[in-house]
Amino acid sequence: MSLLTNLIEHSLDEGYAEAAARRAAGHEPSSRNGWLFAAGLVLIGLLLATAALQVRNRAPAAAQARDALTTEIGQRTAATDQLETDVQKLRASVAAAREDALGLTSTGSALAATLSDLEVVTGAGAVRGPGLAVHLEDAKDAASDPRGADSRTEGRITDRDLQTIVNEVWAAGAEAIAINGQRLTSLSAIRSAGQAILVDFRPLSPPYDVVAVGDSNTMQRRVVDGFGGSYLQVLRNYGITYTVKTRTSVALPAAAGLPVRYATVPEQPAGNS
Protein backbone atom coordinates (compact mmCIF):
# COMPACT_ATOMS: atom_id res chain seq x y z
CA MET A 1 0.00 0.00 0.00
CA SER A 2 2.92 2.37 0.69
CA LEU A 3 3.95 2.12 -3.01
CA LEU A 4 0.47 3.01 -4.24
CA THR A 5 0.24 5.84 -1.73
CA ASN A 6 3.62 7.22 -2.88
CA LEU A 7 2.55 7.08 -6.55
CA ILE A 8 -0.68 8.93 -5.79
CA GLU A 9 0.93 11.62 -3.64
CA HIS A 10 3.97 12.12 -5.92
CA SER A 11 2.50 11.61 -9.41
CA LEU A 12 4.82 14.25 -10.95
CA ASP A 13 8.29 13.05 -11.86
CA GLU A 14 11.07 14.62 -9.80
CA GLY A 15 12.79 16.01 -12.89
CA TYR A 16 9.62 17.67 -14.12
CA ALA A 17 8.93 18.97 -10.62
CA GLU A 18 12.41 20.52 -10.39
CA ALA A 19 12.05 22.17 -13.81
CA ALA A 20 8.63 23.54 -12.88
CA ALA A 21 10.05 24.92 -9.65
CA ARG A 22 12.88 26.71 -11.48
CA ARG A 23 10.46 28.20 -14.00
CA ALA A 24 8.22 29.38 -11.16
CA ALA A 25 11.23 31.00 -9.48
CA GLY A 26 11.98 32.95 -12.70
CA HIS A 27 14.96 30.87 -13.92
CA GLU A 28 14.68 29.94 -17.64
CA PRO A 29 16.28 26.63 -18.81
CA SER A 30 19.79 26.87 -20.21
CA SER A 31 19.96 27.38 -24.00
CA ARG A 32 23.42 25.77 -24.21
CA ASN A 33 22.08 22.48 -25.52
CA GLY A 34 20.04 24.33 -28.17
CA TRP A 35 23.11 26.19 -29.39
CA LEU A 36 25.12 22.98 -29.58
CA PHE A 37 22.35 21.32 -31.59
CA ALA A 38 22.16 24.26 -33.99
CA ALA A 39 25.96 24.29 -34.40
CA GLY A 40 25.90 20.56 -35.18
CA LEU A 41 23.26 21.09 -37.86
CA VAL A 42 25.31 23.89 -39.44
CA LEU A 43 28.43 21.72 -39.41
CA ILE A 44 26.60 18.81 -41.06
CA GLY A 45 25.21 21.20 -43.69
CA LEU A 46 28.71 22.49 -44.45
CA LEU A 47 30.04 18.96 -44.81
CA LEU A 48 27.22 17.99 -47.18
CA ALA A 49 27.70 21.13 -49.26
CA THR A 50 31.45 20.54 -49.49
CA ALA A 51 30.95 16.91 -50.56
CA ALA A 52 28.40 17.94 -53.21
CA LEU A 53 30.75 20.61 -54.53
CA GLN A 54 33.62 18.13 -54.79
CA VAL A 55 31.46 15.61 -56.66
CA ARG A 56 30.29 18.36 -58.99
CA ASN A 57 33.87 19.43 -59.73
CA ARG A 58 35.08 15.87 -60.27
CA ALA A 59 32.36 14.95 -62.78
CA PRO A 60 33.62 17.24 -65.59
CA ALA A 61 37.20 16.13 -64.93
CA ALA A 62 36.22 12.46 -65.21
CA ALA A 63 34.27 13.17 -68.41
CA GLN A 64 37.25 15.01 -69.89
CA ALA A 65 39.60 12.16 -69.00
CA ARG A 66 37.20 9.63 -70.56
CA ASP A 67 36.87 11.70 -73.73
CA ALA A 68 40.63 12.11 -73.96
CA LEU A 69 41.14 8.36 -73.53
CA THR A 70 38.50 7.60 -76.18
CA THR A 71 40.16 10.02 -78.59
CA GLU A 72 43.58 8.48 -77.98
CA ILE A 73 42.20 4.97 -78.53
CA GLY A 74 40.66 6.08 -81.82
CA GLN A 75 43.89 7.71 -82.96
CA ARG A 76 46.01 4.71 -82.06
CA THR A 77 43.55 2.35 -83.74
CA ALA A 78 43.62 4.44 -86.92
CA ALA A 79 47.43 4.48 -86.84
CA THR A 80 47.53 0.70 -86.39
CA ASP A 81 45.11 0.21 -89.28
CA GLN A 82 47.26 2.41 -91.49
CA LEU A 83 50.38 0.45 -90.54
CA GLU A 84 48.61 -2.81 -91.36
CA THR A 85 47.61 -1.39 -94.74
CA ASP A 86 51.23 -0.42 -95.40
CA VAL A 87 52.39 -3.90 -94.38
CA GLN A 88 49.93 -5.50 -96.81
CA LYS A 89 51.19 -3.29 -99.64
CA LEU A 90 54.82 -4.10 -98.85
CA ARG A 91 54.03 -7.80 -98.70
CA ALA A 92 52.36 -7.62 -102.10
CA SER A 93 55.43 -5.89 -103.51
CA VAL A 94 57.75 -8.50 -101.99
CA ALA A 95 55.59 -11.35 -103.30
CA ALA A 96 55.58 -9.87 -106.82
CA ALA A 97 59.36 -9.42 -106.77
CA ARG A 98 59.82 -12.94 -105.45
CA GLU A 99 57.65 -14.45 -108.15
CA ASP A 100 59.54 -12.53 -110.81
CA ALA A 101 62.85 -13.76 -109.45
CA LEU A 102 61.77 -17.38 -109.01
CA GLY A 103 59.98 -17.46 -112.36
CA LEU A 104 63.28 -17.24 -114.27
CA THR A 105 63.82 -21.01 -113.91
CA SER A 106 61.57 -24.06 -113.81
CA THR A 107 62.89 -24.95 -110.37
CA GLY A 108 62.13 -21.47 -109.14
CA SER A 109 58.59 -21.64 -110.53
CA ALA A 110 57.98 -24.90 -108.67
CA LEU A 111 59.32 -23.35 -105.47
CA ALA A 112 57.08 -20.29 -105.96
CA ALA A 113 54.02 -22.52 -106.36
CA THR A 114 54.91 -24.50 -103.25
CA LEU A 115 55.48 -21.31 -101.29
CA SER A 116 52.09 -19.92 -102.38
CA ASP A 117 50.36 -23.10 -101.20
CA LEU A 118 52.13 -22.90 -97.85
CA GLU A 119 51.16 -19.25 -97.45
CA VAL A 120 47.51 -20.17 -97.83
CA VAL A 121 47.77 -22.87 -95.18
CA THR A 122 49.79 -20.81 -92.70
CA GLY A 123 47.96 -17.54 -93.27
CA ALA A 124 51.10 -15.72 -94.40
CA GLY A 125 49.52 -14.73 -97.72
CA ALA A 126 46.25 -13.19 -98.84
CA VAL A 127 43.70 -15.51 -100.46
CA ARG A 128 40.66 -15.09 -102.66
CA GLY A 129 37.98 -17.50 -103.78
CA PRO A 130 34.45 -18.79 -103.12
CA GLY A 131 33.54 -18.96 -99.49
CA LEU A 132 31.13 -18.95 -96.59
CA ALA A 133 30.11 -16.08 -94.30
CA VAL A 134 28.63 -16.57 -90.83
CA HIS A 135 27.20 -13.31 -89.46
CA LEU A 136 26.56 -13.08 -85.69
CA GLU A 137 24.86 -10.27 -83.76
CA ASP A 138 24.26 -9.80 -80.03
CA ALA A 139 20.75 -10.04 -78.62
CA LYS A 140 18.77 -6.81 -78.59
CA ASP A 141 17.81 -7.45 -74.97
CA ALA A 142 20.99 -8.50 -73.15
CA ALA A 143 19.00 -9.67 -70.11
CA SER A 144 17.22 -12.33 -72.17
CA ASP A 145 20.20 -14.70 -72.10
CA PRO A 146 20.26 -16.79 -68.87
CA ARG A 147 23.42 -18.72 -69.76
CA GLY A 148 25.69 -16.94 -67.32
CA ALA A 149 25.35 -15.35 -63.91
CA ASP A 150 27.54 -12.46 -65.02
CA SER A 151 25.24 -9.86 -66.57
CA ARG A 152 28.08 -8.54 -68.70
CA THR A 153 27.94 -11.65 -70.91
CA GLU A 154 24.18 -12.29 -70.93
CA GLY A 155 22.74 -12.02 -74.42
CA ARG A 156 26.15 -11.29 -75.91
CA ILE A 157 28.40 -13.38 -78.11
CA THR A 158 31.35 -14.65 -76.10
CA ASP A 159 34.82 -15.80 -77.05
CA ARG A 160 33.66 -19.37 -76.45
CA ASP A 161 30.89 -18.91 -79.03
CA LEU A 162 33.33 -17.64 -81.64
CA GLN A 163 35.76 -20.45 -80.87
CA THR A 164 33.01 -23.03 -81.38
CA ILE A 165 31.80 -21.54 -84.67
CA VAL A 166 35.33 -21.16 -86.03
CA ASN A 167 36.18 -24.76 -85.17
CA GLU A 168 33.03 -25.96 -86.92
CA VAL A 169 33.87 -23.94 -90.04
CA TRP A 170 37.38 -25.42 -90.04
CA ALA A 171 35.90 -28.89 -89.71
CA ALA A 172 33.52 -28.14 -92.61
CA GLY A 173 36.49 -27.83 -94.98
CA ALA A 174 37.59 -24.19 -94.77
CA GLU A 175 41.01 -23.42 -96.24
CA ALA A 176 41.33 -19.99 -94.62
CA ILE A 177 39.25 -18.04 -92.08
CA ALA A 178 39.11 -14.43 -90.90
CA ILE A 179 37.00 -12.78 -88.17
CA ASN A 180 36.11 -9.16 -88.90
CA GLY A 181 39.10 -9.04 -91.25
CA GLN A 182 41.55 -10.64 -88.78
CA ARG A 183 43.12 -13.66 -90.45
CA LEU A 184 43.42 -16.77 -88.31
CA THR A 185 46.44 -19.05 -88.22
CA SER A 186 47.46 -22.12 -86.26
CA LEU A 187 48.87 -19.72 -83.63
CA SER A 188 45.75 -17.55 -83.34
CA ALA A 189 43.97 -17.10 -80.02
CA ILE A 190 40.36 -16.02 -79.42
CA ARG A 191 40.08 -14.68 -75.89
CA SER A 192 38.06 -12.17 -73.89
CA ALA A 193 39.15 -9.17 -71.85
CA GLY A 194 36.24 -7.73 -69.92
CA GLN A 195 33.45 -7.17 -72.43
CA ALA A 196 35.79 -7.18 -75.45
CA ILE A 197 36.71 -10.20 -77.58
CA LEU A 198 40.34 -10.34 -78.64
CA VAL A 199 41.58 -12.13 -81.76
CA ASP A 200 45.36 -12.28 -81.66
CA PHE A 201 45.22 -9.51 -79.02
CA ARG A 202 43.23 -7.26 -81.38
CA PRO A 203 39.86 -6.12 -79.92
CA LEU A 204 36.81 -6.75 -82.10
CA SER A 205 33.38 -5.15 -81.89
CA PRO A 206 30.04 -6.80 -82.69
CA PRO A 207 28.59 -7.80 -85.04
CA TYR A 208 31.03 -10.56 -85.95
CA ASP A 209 31.64 -11.92 -89.46
CA VAL A 210 33.36 -15.28 -89.72
CA VAL A 211 34.39 -15.51 -93.38
CA ALA A 212 36.01 -18.64 -94.83
CA VAL A 213 37.48 -19.56 -98.22
CA GLY A 214 36.71 -23.02 -99.60
CA ASP A 215 33.96 -25.06 -101.21
CA SER A 216 31.07 -22.80 -100.23
CA ASN A 217 28.21 -25.25 -100.75
CA THR A 218 29.97 -28.08 -98.91
CA MET A 219 30.90 -25.85 -95.99
CA GLN A 220 27.37 -24.48 -95.68
CA ARG A 221 25.82 -27.94 -95.69
CA ARG A 222 28.25 -29.31 -93.12
CA VAL A 223 27.93 -26.33 -90.80
CA VAL A 224 24.13 -26.15 -90.92
CA ASP A 225 23.55 -29.91 -90.66
CA GLY A 226 26.26 -30.54 -88.08
CA PHE A 227 27.00 -29.45 -84.55
CA GLY A 228 27.58 -25.88 -85.72
CA GLY A 229 23.97 -25.56 -86.82
CA SER A 230 22.72 -26.94 -83.52
CA TYR A 231 24.93 -24.53 -81.61
CA LEU A 232 23.67 -21.59 -83.65
CA GLN A 233 20.07 -22.61 -82.90
CA VAL A 234 20.89 -22.55 -79.18
CA LEU A 235 22.29 -19.05 -79.54
CA ARG A 236 19.11 -17.98 -81.33
CA ASN A 237 17.05 -19.15 -78.34
CA TYR A 238 18.92 -16.56 -76.29
CA GLY A 239 18.15 -13.74 -78.72
CA ILE A 240 21.43 -13.88 -80.67
CA THR A 241 20.79 -13.66 -84.41
CA TYR A 242 22.85 -15.22 -87.18
CA THR A 243 22.98 -15.91 -90.91
CA VAL A 244 24.97 -18.50 -92.85
CA LYS A 245 25.41 -17.55 -96.51
CA THR A 246 27.60 -18.65 -99.40
CA ARG A 247 29.57 -16.15 -101.45
CA THR A 248 30.92 -16.48 -104.94
CA SER A 249 34.11 -14.61 -104.08
CA VAL A 250 35.71 -13.43 -100.83
CA ALA A 251 39.13 -11.94 -100.15
CA LEU A 252 41.00 -12.56 -96.90
CA PRO A 253 44.12 -10.59 -95.97
CA ALA A 254 47.35 -12.11 -94.77
CA ALA A 255 47.82 -12.52 -91.05
CA ALA A 256 49.59 -9.63 -89.38
CA GLY A 257 52.75 -10.31 -87.44
CA LEU A 258 53.23 -13.96 -88.36
CA PRO A 259 56.75 -14.81 -87.11
CA VAL A 260 59.07 -17.37 -88.70
CA ARG A 261 60.37 -19.57 -85.91
CA TYR A 262 62.27 -22.17 -87.90
CA ALA A 263 63.95 -21.80 -91.26
CA THR A 264 66.47 -23.92 -93.16
CA VAL A 265 68.37 -23.34 -96.37
CA PRO A 266 67.79 -26.17 -98.87
CA GLU A 267 70.88 -27.89 -100.15
CA GLN A 268 71.85 -27.02 -103.69
CA PRO A 269 71.84 -29.97 -106.11
CA ALA A 270 75.26 -31.11 -107.25
CA GLY A 271 76.52 -29.17 -110.26
CA ASN A 272 74.49 -26.02 -109.47
CA SER A 273 76.08 -22.86 -108.16
Side-chain angles (χ1 to χ4, degrees):
M1 293 297 293
S2 59
L3 178 60
L4 292 176
T5 303
N6 185 42
L7 289 175
I8 294 173
E9 294 178 355
H10 304 86
S11 59
L12 186 63
D13 183 78
E14 294 181 359
Y16 285 107
E18 183 179 355
R22 285 201 304 269
R23 185 175 289 106
H27 299 289
E28 294 295 331
S30 176
S31 61
R32 180 179 180 183
N33 293 337
W35 281 107
L36 290 177
F37 181 73
L41 291 178
V42 172
L43 180 60
I44 293 174
L46 290 175
L47 291 176
L48 292 176
T50 302
L53 184 61
Q54 289 179 350
V55 172
R56 181 180 179 183
N57 293 334
R58 288 177 182 175
Q64 292 177 0
R66 182 175 60 254
D67 294 341
L69 182 58
T70 302
T71 302
E72 183 178 358
I73 291 174
Q75 293 175 349
R76 290 181 179 270
T77 301
T80 301
D81 293 340
Q82 183 61 44
L83 290 175
E84 286 190 358
T85 302
D86 296 340
V87 168
Q88 297 298 335
K89 293 180 179 179
L90 292 174
R91 282 180 173 175
S93 300
V94 171
R98 183 187 61 212
E99 290 180 0
D100 292 340
L102 293 177
L104 298 177
T105 63
S106 58
T107 303
S109 298
L111 289 175
T114 302
L115 184 59
S116 297
D117 294 339
L118 291 175
E119 285 181 341
V120 172
V121 175
T122 59
V127 296
R128 179 184 295 273
L132 182 73
V134 181
H135 181 78
L136 300 166
E137 290 192 28
D138 290 341
K140 295 182 179 180
D141 183 6
S144 65
D145 185 352
R147 291 180 297 165
D150 190 349
S151 60
R152 293 174 301 175
T153 62
E154 291 180 355
R156 294 175 180 155
I157 301 166
T158 65
D159 55 335
R160 182 188 62 185
D161 298 330
L162 283 182
Q163 291 171 9
T164 301
I165 299 304
V166 166
N167 288 336
E168 290 303 309
V169 175
W170 279 124
E175 299 176 6
I177 299 178
I179 304 177
N180 287 15
Q182 294 296 310
R183 181 74 175 276
L184 301 182
T185 70
S186 59
L187 303 177
S188 295
I190 303 175
R191 295 289 184 268
S192 63
Q195 299 184 23
I197 295 180
L198 306 180
V199 175
D200 289 337
F201 304 103
R202 182 72 182 268
L204 302 182
S205 300
Y208 304 100
D209 290 301
V210 180
V211 182
V213 171
D215 188 332
S216 57
N217 293 327
T218 300
M219 287 191 296
Q220 184 186 41
R221 184 180 67 255
R222 291 178 178 176
V223 169
V224 173
D225 296 341
F227 176 76
S230 301
Y231 194 87
L232 290 172
Q233 287 294 334
V234 172
L235 295 183
R236 174 170 288 178
N237 294 336
Y238 299 135
I240 297 175
T241 58
Y242 72 90
T243 58
V244 181
K245 297 182 179 180
T246 59
R247 293 184 180 178
T248 56
S249 178
V250 295
L252 304 185
L258 184 64
V260 178
R261 296 187 176 182
Y262 304 98
T264 59
V265 178
E267 296 181 0
Q268 294 291 338
N272 293 343
S273 58

